[in-house]
Amino acid sequence: MTALSVRGVRVVDPFAGTDAVADVYVDEGGRFAQPPAAPDTAGEIVDGRGLWLVPRVADLHVHFREPGQEHKEDIGSGSRAAAAGGVSVVGLMPNTSPVIDSGAAMNRVLGRVAQVGLVAAWGIGAVSVGSQGARPADWDTMRGAGARALSDDGHPVASSRLMAAALAFSAQHGTPIIQHLEDPELAHGGMAHEGAVAARLGLAGMPAAAESVMAWRDVGLLRAYGGRLHFAHCSVPDTLAALAWARAQGAHATGEASPHHLLLTDDALAEWHPTGMAKVNPPLRPAGMRDALRQAVERGVVTVVASDHAPHAAGEKGGPFAAAPFGISGIETLLGVLLTVFHHERRLTPLALMGLVTAGPHDVVGEPYAGVVPGSPADFTLIDPDVSWRVDPAAFQSRGANTPLAGHVLYGRAVATVRGGRFTFREGQVVS
Ligand SMILES: [Zn+2]
């Protein structure tokens, strides 16, 4: 029996590589289904005209802050924010308090996400104990508990010896290593891109090379030790060059861009001065670097866009710049920014653009998914691709209202999210 059908919708399916208007049917088991043989009025009918239906939107890089910093976000509020942002699966970064660096901790956090039930999660375990960068964490046990990747995100894996060992483990087991690119000595104390804007505002600069020299070291290690390497939030041209070089060698390297690095420049620091609302790590860059990042996405060097959703509590970002923590609450603006940058100005086709948040992240973690075909789990997002809306952090489901996009107009957004055939978000409301 048909439980749900979406009629006349533009199905943009990067998993199948298809883009066509169709009617989509979901059965009572929550899976995509063939059209019914006989007229079937049992299910709910949704008018999909003018909308895109995009299967299994994934945000590879989020911080839900549980355990330990629930005043910023918890798995409940983070899951609601994901649903409202049109996201079906999240990659959960392990830099909670304590850090997710054991199988038991991985089990707890994944169990909690499943209990909330609004979004699926790819668990990401720490590379080093406590993400301190010294001793390797218990990779085997975390993998057994469901970890889909390893990362010390928030910090780099600065030790070459530790990165070599992690890549060797990756080569053996296929688990990707996600690197936060930062040379601690070059970055030391920096809070903004080292350039004209930081100099004018008197902010401690972080040179672009702090990111890119680590990228070049890592692609060298990747060539030597094998494995799968993914660069989080790439932001400078020489990082993109390292990534392109490694990919051209046939090494398994992938890269991600965050929406704020694609949309904004370091002028946002001046706009929000003296607060730290636009303070993020890696820092927002000048227009030339922002444009190079867009081109790397358009050329297929960068294959993932992920929010780096980093919520903070009210007040934490509003004080003086130096005291503010790094990060932007971004999961509810992920699709809006992506559509604004690449669809509103027609820089990418819908299929290529949606691949950045569907097939791209699935490829990084090696998760198979067939897309909109009968028998496949009916996880999808309905998107109004051109609607204009103003970002109002007070309306966020996330506990974090910290975004330099507050008041900005974006074009395109999720209007409904369906997980396993069931709405988790519709008509502006999370359905739990
Ligand atoms: Zn990071």
Side-chain angles (χ1 to χ4, degrees):
M1 290 288 283
T2 301
L4 171 68
S5 60
V6 185
R7 305 292 173 89
V9 73
R10 182 171 178 177
V11 181
V12 179
D13 183 354
F15 297 98
T18 56
D19 176 357
V21 173
D23 298 334
V24 172
Y25 297 87
V26 177
D27 66 22
E28 287 171 326
R31 292 173 182 271
F32 291 116
Q34 301 279 6
D40 178 339
T41 55
E44 179 182 358
I45 297 171
V46 174
D47 182 359
R49 288 174 296 176
L51 303 179
W52 297 355
L53 185 153
V54 180
R56 186 71 77 78
V57 171
D59 185 347
L60 184 60
H61 191 145
V62 309
H63 302 274
F64 278 0
R65 308 300 194 196
E66 182 180 341
Q69 294 188 302
E70 289 86 350
H71 63 291
K72 295 175 189 275
E73 190 82 294
D74 62 22
I75 287 170
S77 62
S79 297
R80 288 193 295 279
V87 172
S88 290
V89 52
V90 291
L92 280 181
M93 283 298 176
N95 63 333
T96 49
S97 183
V99 166
I100 308 302
D101 61 4
S102 69
M106 180 61 66
N107 269 322
R108 272 196 299 275
V109 77
L110 292 179
R112 178 77 187 117
V113 177
Q115 187 184 27
V116 173
L118 286 169
V119 68
W122 293 327
I124 302 172
V127 172
S128 61
V129 174
S131 283
Q132 304 267 308
R135 285 185 300 128
D138 190 347
W139 302 332
D140 270 316
T141 311
M142 286 190 288
R143 195 168 156 272
R148 307 302 299 270
L150 298 169
S151 181
D152 276 349
D153 184 61
H155 302 285
V157 177
S159 157
S160 301
R161 187 182 170 84
L162 179 60
M163 181 55 98
L167 287 170
F169 178 84
S170 174
Q172 197 180 351
H173 299 286
T175 308
I177 310 301
I178 302 180
Q179 171 71 309
H180 168 115
L181 294 163
E182 182 180 322
D183 180 305
E185 293 182 346
L186 285 177
H188 186 71
M191 301 180 193
H193 173 76
E194 186 177 271
V197 174
R200 180 155 50 85
L201 299 176
L203 307 175
M206 189 186 297
E211 179 182 302
S212 59
V213 298
M214 193 62 92
W216 281 105
R217 183 206 69 172
D218 284 350
V219 295
L221 290 171
L222 181 65
R223 289 274 285 158
Y225 293 89
R228 302 161 71 97
L229 177 62
H230 178 75
F231 290 155
H233 40 57
C234 299
S235 70
V236 304
D238 283 2
T239 296
L240 303 168
L243 179 59
W245 177 82
R247 291 169 69 82
Q249 305 303 307
H252 204 297
T254 52
E256 140 201 326
S258 66
H260 40 275
H261 291 112
L262 287 165
L263 183 69
L264 301 174
T265 68
D266 57 356
D267 287 336
L269 298 177
E271 183 191 337
W272 288 94
H273 190 74
T275 79
M277 199 59 90
K279 181 178 174 183
V280 64
N281 187 13
L284 297 174
R285 306 293 185 180
M289 292 191 177
R290 188 268 316 266
D291 294 347
L293 185 61
R294 291 178 172 184
Q295 283 159 20
V297 170
E298 288 161 12
R299 291 200 319 268
V301 172
V302 166
T303 55
V304 175
V305 172
S307 71
D308 193 5
H309 177 68
H312 292 291
E316 288 181 310
K317 294 282 276 184
F321 189 89
F326 291 108
I328 291 171
S329 179
I331 199 167
E332 289 170 78
T333 50
L334 167 68
L335 292 180
V337 173
L338 194 58
L339 288 156
T340 300
V341 172
F342 292 110
H343 175 67
H344 188 59
E345 297 173 20
R346 301 298 190 265
R347 293 165 179 274
L348 279 177
T349 64
L351 203 54
L353 155 65
M354 287 297 131
L356 297 162
V357 287
T358 55
H362 279 72
D363 284 347
V364 171
V365 299
E367 168 120 334
Y369 180 67
V372 187
V373 297
S376 185
D379 300 339
F380 62 85
T381 303
L382 296 177
I383 290 173
D384 185 335
D386 297 300
V387 63
S388 70
W389 59 289
R390 192 174 295 275
V391 177
D392 174 14
F396 280 179
Q397 297 289 332
S398 171
R399 217 159 268 168
N402 52 297
T403 174
L405 298 179
H408 282 230
V409 172
L410 299 177
Y411 299 90
R413 70 184 305 174
V415 295
T417 313
V418 171
R419 177 160 187 255
R422 193 177 69 81
F423 283 96
T424 56
F425 175 71
R426 69 190 305 182
E427 288 156 14
Q429 304 291 320
V430 174
V431 185
S432 48

